[in-house]
Amino acid sequence: MSTTALGVSVLFMVGCCAIAQIARVVSRRVVTREGLVPILINEAIAAAELCACCFELIIVADNFGVSMYAVCLFLLTIWWGRVWGDASACPYTHMEDVVEGRTSFKEMALRSWAELMGGCCVYRVVQLFWWLELAETHRGRAFEACNADLQVSPYLGAVIEGVATLLCRLASKTISEKEPRFGSYIDSFIGTSLVVAAFNFSGGYFNPVLATALKWGCRGHSHLEHIIVYWIGACAGAVLSIPVFRMPAVRRILLGEEGSKSKQE
């Protein structure tokens, strides 16, 4: 494929990030009161930005290979880490907050709903862009039937998504506590590496909203199988990271002796 087609994909993703950032600035000026409303708007914007870019990343992976996909994803995750603020565009982070008593079940449910709305509704924008067929890689993609990325059994897929999410969350928690230099880059590299590792097995989504927006109803798995793999698997891995990270042996490995002692104290 030509570099022009890759350039069109990159410009689309940059444009999505720019529009999302403008939307965040405008929402902060319009919705000035504190409370749940601005939080939900921020989550919806972040999820829309995430899913719009990842729709285009499918084009990149299909036509330019997983390596180019990984480079783009790595750069995008660094950007999102800098501009999203408290938004995560991922339901299981709120589930972790509920388990640890930092938020209510109601807020978790509303945040997840906002993320689903943002992530799923943005497909119409992506579809319109693909319909324009500005690049050869977009020909026929706007109304093409999608195929599931799950290449293994649903139960093995759930294990893959769950274990990878567990490792990803343990890495994020470790970086958050240790606060190393270039921590955001390290976190992005680990997350991208895990996505690439799982890419040919489950798709490597590690985010229920992202998986639902991109692959719900696609050929290759049923709705129940989708829920088992991308919702139950990923969320179980994330919630499991809480007690695992508290284990002295794990903290000793990840944080060293001082980290283990400080937690026990």
Side-chain angles (χ1 to χ4, degrees):
M1 290 294 173
S2 67
T3 54
T4 302
L6 178 60
V8 170
S9 291
V10 171
L11 285 175
F12 175 75
M13 290 185 282
V14 170
C16 288
C17 292
I19 293 170
Q21 186 63 8
I22 293 170
R24 274 186 282 270
V25 173
V26 172
S27 69
R28 282 196 294 265
R29 293 182 178 179
V30 173
V31 185
T32 55
R33 63 175 184 172
E34 296 182 359
L36 197 54
V37 172
I39 292 174
L40 298 182
I41 292 173
N42 200 28
E43 289 287 1
I45 293 171
E49 179 182 5
L50 168 70
C51 293
C53 290
C54 286
F55 271 117
E56 194 61 32
L57 281 177
I58 294 174
I59 301 292
V60 173
D62 288 347
N63 295 279
F64 302 98
V66 178
S67 297
M68 183 57 66
Y69 167 90
V71 170
C72 293
L73 180 61
F74 174 70
L75 296 175
L76 283 168
T77 52
I78 292 173
W79 168 254
W80 293 331
R82 292 178 178 273
V83 301
W84 278 4
D86 292 334
S88 68
C90 187
Y92 57 62
T93 58
H94 317 311
M95 295 180 187
E96 289 182 45
D97 288 340
V98 170
V99 172
E100 295 187 302
R102 291 195 297 265
T103 191
S104 65
F105 183 86
K106 175 185 175 182
E107 182 170 335
M108 178 206 73
L110 289 173
R111 280 194 173 203
S112 299
W113 170 81
E115 291 160 359
L116 274 171
M117 292 302 99
C120 293
C121 291
V122 79
Y123 174 65
R124 293 305 176 190
V125 177
V126 177
Q127 189 178 41
L128 175 61
F129 180 72
W130 287 350
W131 175 75
L132 295 174
E133 296 187 349
L134 299 177
E136 56 187 315
T137 51
H138 292 156
R139 288 175 188 165
R141 296 302 292 262
F143 302 101
E144 183 181 59
C146 64
N147 294 306
D149 286 334
L150 186 63
Q151 303 300 315
V152 295
S153 72
Y155 299 107
L156 180 56
V159 171
I160 292 171
E161 289 284 315
V163 171
T165 300
L166 169 64
L167 295 175
C168 197
R169 294 303 298 148
L170 288 175
S172 294
K173 293 175 190 294
T174 302
I175 292 169
S176 179
E177 284 209 15
K178 296 191 75 169
E179 297 182 342
R181 190 181 181 186
F182 306 119
S184 61
Y185 295 90
I186 297 170
D187 198 16
S188 296
F189 178 79
I190 293 172
T192 302
S193 299
L194 287 168
V195 168
V196 172
F199 189 82
N200 292 321
F201 301 99
S202 65
Y205 288 93
F206 316 150
N207 184 329
V209 164
L210 177 62
T212 298
L214 269 61
K215 294 298 178 179
W216 180 263
C218 291
R219 293 177 300 191
H221 57 49
S222 66
H223 293 333
L224 178 59
E225 289 171 341
H226 179 96
I227 292 170
I228 290 172
V229 175
Y230 300 110
W231 281 87
I232 296 177
C235 292
V239 173
L240 186 61
S241 72
I242 298 172
V244 170
F245 190 65
R246 291 174 179 170
M247 294 171 63
V250 173
R251 293 184 66 83
R252 193 176 300 113
I253 294 170
L254 297 177
L255 299 170
E257 292 293 337
E258 292 184 4
S260 177
K261 290 177 180 178
S262 62
K263 187 65 179 181
Q264 289 174 348
E265 292 173 0

